[in-house]
Amino acid sequence: MGRRRRRWREPVYVWWVAIAALLIASVLLSAWRLALLALLMWCVYEFALNPTVCRVMTRQGFVCHEPVRGRLFACSAAHQRMKNDAIWRAAGLPNPFARATSQDPNRDTGVVVYSPDVRARLAQNDRIILTIAGVATLVTILTAVVGIVSL
């Protein structure tokens, strides 16, 4: 699998400036809904828009450095299946959508091959950010629902 050409991406600071502007506006206007919008915008950015790399461990134990967009996504279908398994496992649940994998008779021999369970682990920084973003998303939704109900 060759390295894909990177398409043009907006600079990262554009997102951070937009999020900071919403936070500043929410403080100046005392508008909690703008703060919730800023928090939700940050969560969406971390889940789906953040320019990062795949970080799924290959069979030999190296990390995949293919560019992806968002911490939830991977560079190929096989890596996406492994990342989905890792996300479900990080939540403490088995992946209900996982398909049974068959053994590959043509796999390379003579090298240490890491099992899918070992390879399907999220990097520590991804686990931390995804946990914070998941909790923040839940807080945003609950706060919005409580705010709408109390009106």
Side-chain angles (χ1 to χ4, degrees), residues 13 16-17 27 44 55 68 74 95 104 109 118 126 137 147 149:
Y13 64 83
W16 289 106
V17 167
V27 169
V44 168
R55 287 195 190 111
V68 295
N95 185 353
D104 183 10
T109 57
V118 172
D126 284 341
T137 302
V149 171

Side-chain angles (χ1 to χ4, degrees), residues 56-64 79 82 112-114 119:
V56 171
M57 190 183 298
T58 63
R59 285 186 174 196
Q60 291 76 24
F62 302 111
V63 176
C64 178
H79 282 190
M82 295 185 78
V112 175
V113 177
Y114 291 85
R119 291 175 26 209

Side-chain angles (χ1 to χ4, degrees), residues 11-121:
V12 174
Y13 64 83
V14 170
W15 287 101
W16 289 106
V17 167
I19 293 168
L22 275 176
L23 284 175
I24 291 169
S26 70
V27 169
L28 293 177
L29 299 173
S30 299
W32 61 271
R33 289 181 183 99
L34 279 180
L36 283 181
L37 182 64
L39 183 61
L40 189 62
M41 189 173 168
W42 176 79
C43 293
V44 168
Y45 172 76
E46 289 298 334
F47 285 141
L49 301 172
N50 183 17
T52 185
V53 293
C54 181
R55 287 195 190 111
V56 171
M57 190 183 298
T58 63
R59 285 186 174 196
Q60 291 76 24
F62 302 111
V63 176
C64 178
H65 291 289
E66 287 292 318
V68 295
R69 196 150 174 113
R71 293 182 191 276
L72 294 179
F73 301 108
C75 64
S76 66
H79 282 190
Q80 187 63 51
R81 280 192 299 274
M82 295 185 78
K83 194 166 248 192
N84 290 345
D85 290 343
I87 291 168
W88 280 99
R89 194 174 300 119
L93 302 168
N95 185 353
F97 307 107
R99 291 182 279 173
T101 57
S102 61
Q103 295 295 329
D104 183 10
N106 298 321
R107 73 176 191 201
D108 295 333
T109 57
V111 295
V112 175
V113 177
Y114 291 85
S115 71
D117 288 341
V118 172
R119 291 175 26 209
R121 288 186 185 152

